[in-house]
Amino acid sequence: MKTRQFTIIVHQEDDLYIAQCPEVGTVDQGETIEAAIAGLKEATRLYLEEFPLPEKAPPLITSMEVNYA
């Protein structure tokens, strides 16, 4: 069994939390952040069992500030 770390992005839409994994493309939702993340973890595990990803270095994640009118 392999173990890898992935990024999780969570945002709220109406009464639900949407969790997504950008490296894999999986998405899930839940009434709480914890439920959305748990569903995403399971969806990602199932996806990777069918479509394994090649081994590579993790992405660099950073942020930027933009001024606009």
Side-chain angles (χ1 to χ4, degrees):
M1 179 173 287
K2 295 181 182 180
T3 300
R4 286 181 62 178
Q5 284 194 301
F6 295 100
T7 305
I8 299 174
I9 300 171
V10 179
H11 65 275
Q12 189 171 8
E13 266 185 36
D14 300 322
D15 295 336
L16 293 175
Y17 291 93
I18 310 300
Q20 61 187 45
C21 175
E23 294 95 342
V24 179
T26 49
V27 178
D28 203 62
Q29 63 186 22
E31 292 183 0
T32 65
I33 292 172
E34 294 80 10
I37 291 173
L40 178 64
K41 186 175 182 179
E42 179 65 8
T44 303
R45 183 187 67 76
L46 292 170
Y47 180 87
L48 291 173
E49 285 181 1
E50 288 293 319
F51 307 101
L53 296 179
E55 295 293 328
K56 62 181 182 179
L60 171 65
I61 298 175
T62 188
S63 62
M64 66 178 176
E65 185 175 306
V66 177
N67 295 317
Y68 60 95

